[in-house]
Amino acid sequence: MESPRLLFFLYPILILHLLAVTNAQPRFLSYWCSNGVGNYTTNSTYKANLNTLLTSLSSNNEIDYGFYNFSAGQNSDKVNAIALCRGDVMPTACRSCINDSRIQLTQLCPNQKEAIGWYDNCMLRYSNDSIFGTEQSSPYLYMRNSKNASNVEDFNQVLGNLMASLRSKAASGDWRRKFATGEANVTSFQSIYGLMQCTPDLSELSCSNCLEGATNEIPTCCDSRKGGRVVKPSCNLRYETYRFYDFTAANAPPPPATPPPSPPSADFAPPPLANTTSTQETRSNSSRTIILIIVPSVIILIIILVGFICFFSRKRSSMEKLETHDEDEITNVESLHFDFDTIRVATNNFSDSNKLGQGGFGPVYKGKLSNGQNVAVKRLSSGSAQGELEFKNEVVLVAKLQHRNLVRLLGFCLDGAERLLIYEFVPNTSLDHFIFGNNS
């Protein structure tokens, strides 16, 4: 009697575990959903073609070069997709990343005909327009290292030469991979590591143009910073002062070349099978016998494994929660960061005409962001011994405080010796009670 009761107890646990694994998809670095090319409905042909396409991507075992393009449907209901993995990512990790992408992207863009999502290891993009062999520069993603380079002029000179070298190497790749990594020394103690990549369906000229455009974005994105990346639909680049890629995989020689395949289409059905009725009947009887033997054994094995998973899950939960918490904190800090130039423009270079008052920790200015939002900017007095990490941790802690009697912290700016706190602007002369305290 113990076995039925054990099955009854473990079956829902197995289901919940499988659901948790399915839904726990990592978050994109960034994503984009188009609102200008029309939407599709739940029961539309476009939706059916998109499901067919994405299912084919997730089950494909031939993404050996980290690139795959695929089409499904015809005319206005046709869906085109491109999946690209970073050149140093192994095939198994590549397929896992693409599978995560298809789940995330359809959840974040539930009815848009065109969407793109970026992970660190891969990119997934689909559209009802033709996207194969076409350079596209937008939408784009900027990311940058929070630390400044010490010798900016020499750093930028070495970085420019490295980017030019990698651009030529990546663009000259073939239909399997347009990818390059490299490094260059700024001083005997500091090196720059770089990576560039295009979707291999681009021509050499289109790839070079795309990467040159991305390189020209570096002063806007990451000027004087130790690292940064510019990510576009057709190409991407990244540089850091540490090796962030797998050196061995990035420099492994590609397998022997074969003619490039055409993008497969879901519209083509497989050829009809030959008449093998008697053979199929014999195989069917054998299959039933095998199933009757194997299936119960597999079920018992799954129950045993689930029991072990449940037993050890509590021991691992605390470590997993700690790791997840650390990742969330890093993401929250970056999402609250404001650029110093943006705040300087918003406050008219911290002019006295915008000054709201003086508190014990520094002056407060009224500002107006480019989107029209009014903010209050507290410029902390210099001389604080507080480090960057401590400052960021306090910002995240304050930002999480929510109360109707507390003014909301929108973000911060950390640039050299400058430490700024950006609050929502509270009208009716009540802001000083929230920001200045008794010293105002």
Side-chain angles (χ1 to χ4, degrees):
M1 295 297 294
E2 292 296 330
S3 295
R5 295 174 66 179
L6 180 62
L7 285 173
F8 180 79
F9 174 73
L10 291 179
Y11 182 74
I13 296 177
L14 174 61
I15 298 298
L16 291 175
H17 176 74
L18 294 176
L19 289 175
V21 172
T22 302
N23 293 326
Q25 305 300 325
R27 291 170 293 185
F28 283 126
L29 295 176
S30 184
Y31 68 94
W32 174 82
C33 312
S34 173
N35 293 317
V37 295
N39 297 338
Y40 62 83
T41 58
T42 303
N43 298 323
S44 65
T45 303
Y46 189 92
K47 171 65 173 177
N49 291 334
L50 180 61
N51 288 340
T52 299
L53 182 147
L54 295 180
T55 302
S56 299
L57 284 178
S58 65
S59 61
N60 189 292
N61 293 319
E62 299 179 358
I63 312 179
D64 296 328
Y65 313 121
F67 172 70
Y68 191 61
N69 53 350
F70 190 86
S71 297
Q74 294 180 344
N75 302 324
S76 60
D77 292 319
K78 187 172 185 179
V79 187
N80 301 305
I82 288 179
L84 177 69
C85 289
R86 209 171 68 182
D88 61 323
V89 175
M90 294 291 99
T92 301
C94 175
R95 286 189 287 271
S96 176
C97 185
I98 291 173
N99 189 55
D100 289 340
S101 298
R102 73 178 183 89
I103 296 173
Q104 275 281 81
L105 202 55
T106 51
Q107 291 176 348
L108 296 170
C109 306
N111 62 347
Q112 283 82 3
K113 286 189 174 182
E114 185 173 2
I116 183 170
W118 289 287
Y119 279 120
D120 190 43
N121 283 349
C122 70
M123 172 202 75
L124 175 63
R125 174 188 177 196
Y126 57 80
S127 173
N128 64 328
D129 291 331
S130 176
I131 57 176
F132 304 136
T134 302
E135 176 195 349
Q136 185 168 334
S137 299
S138 62
Y140 55 84
L141 165 66
Y142 290 162
M143 297 184 72
R144 63 181 183 179
N145 194 306
S146 61
K147 298 184 181 296
N148 290 322
S150 54
N151 44 349
V152 176
E153 186 174 349
D154 292 342
F155 187 91
N156 288 340
Q157 179 66 41
V158 173
L159 176 61
N161 293 336
L162 176 62
M163 293 292 101
S165 173
L166 294 180
R167 180 171 70 249
S168 175
K169 182 179 177 182
S172 62
D174 58 22
W175 60 272
R176 297 167 297 173
R177 192 169 72 170
K178 283 181 163 54
F179 174 78
T181 60
E183 60 184 272
N185 295 326
V186 181
T187 66
S188 57
F189 301 101
Q190 185 181 59
S191 299
I192 305 177
Y193 300 87
L195 177 153
M196 281 188 166
Q197 185 173 21
C198 293
T199 57
D201 58 322
L202 294 184
S203 66
E204 181 174 355
L205 178 60
S206 295
C207 176
S208 181
N209 289 339
C210 186
L211 290 174
E212 183 176 11
T215 304
N216 293 336
E217 299 287 342
I218 291 178
T220 303
C221 151
C222 327
D223 189 30
S224 304
R225 300 305 175 102
K226 285 187 174 182
R229 65 174 82 180
V230 180
V231 183
K232 300 187 176 186
S234 298
C235 66
N236 65 84
L237 66 83
R238 183 181 179 185
Y239 68 92
E240 301 286 353
T241 53
Y242 61 90
R243 182 177 287 125
F244 57 90
Y245 52 82
D246 187 326
F247 178 82
T248 302
N251 292 276
T258 56
S262 300
S265 173
D267 298 323
F268 294 99
L273 298 174
N275 185 9
T276 57
T277 305
S278 60
T279 303
Q280 290 177 353
E281 288 176 353
T282 302
R283 291 178 179 175
S284 177
N285 293 330
S286 300
S287 298
R288 289 194 191 98
T289 303
I290 293 173
I291 290 172
L292 291 175
I293 296 173
I294 293 179
V295 171
S297 301
V298 172
I299 293 175
I300 294 173
L301 179 59
I302 290 175
I303 292 173
I304 295 173
L305 290 176
V306 171
F308 277 109
I309 291 172
C310 295
F311 181 78
F312 290 106
S313 61
R314 290 189 177 182
K315 293 184 178 180
R316 288 186 287 199
S317 62
S318 59
M319 183 178 298
E320 292 172 350
K321 289 180 180 178
L322 178 60
E323 293 173 351
T324 303
H325 175 73
D326 292 340
E327 294 173 358
D328 289 342
E329 288 298 311
I330 294 172
T331 303
N332 290 338
V333 169
E334 293 302 323
S335 65
L336 295 173
H337 184 264
F338 282 76
D339 185 76
F340 180 76
D341 290 336
T342 300
I343 302 303
R344 183 165 55 187
V345 171
T347 59
N348 194 19
N349 199 19
F350 304 100
S351 67
D352 290 339
S353 62
N354 283 18
K355 190 173 182 180
L356 296 173
Q358 178 74 32
F361 294 99
V364 178
Y365 300 86
K366 181 179 179 181
K368 189 172 185 179
L369 301 178
S370 58
N371 62 3
Q373 181 181 5
N374 290 323
V375 295
V377 180
K378 173 176 279 192
R379 192 177 193 182
L380 300 181
S381 302
S382 59
S384 173
Q386 190 180 46
E388 289 186 12
L389 181 59
E390 292 84 357
F391 178 73
K392 290 181 179 179
N393 288 339
E394 287 193 11
V395 168
V396 172
L397 179 61
V398 175
K400 289 181 178 179
L401 296 177
Q402 298 291 332
H403 193 276
R404 60 193 180 94
N405 291 330
L406 290 178
V407 66
R408 187 163 62 97
L409 178 67
L410 301 179
F412 72 99
C413 176
L414 185 60
D415 190 280
E418 291 285 351
R419 282 170 166 77
L420 308 177
L421 295 174
I422 296 90
Y423 294 88
E424 67 177 344
F425 182 79
V426 180
N428 300 327
T429 68
S430 60
L431 183 65
D432 55 337
H433 298 291
F434 294 102
I435 297 181
F436 299 134
N438 296 327
N439 295 323
S440 60

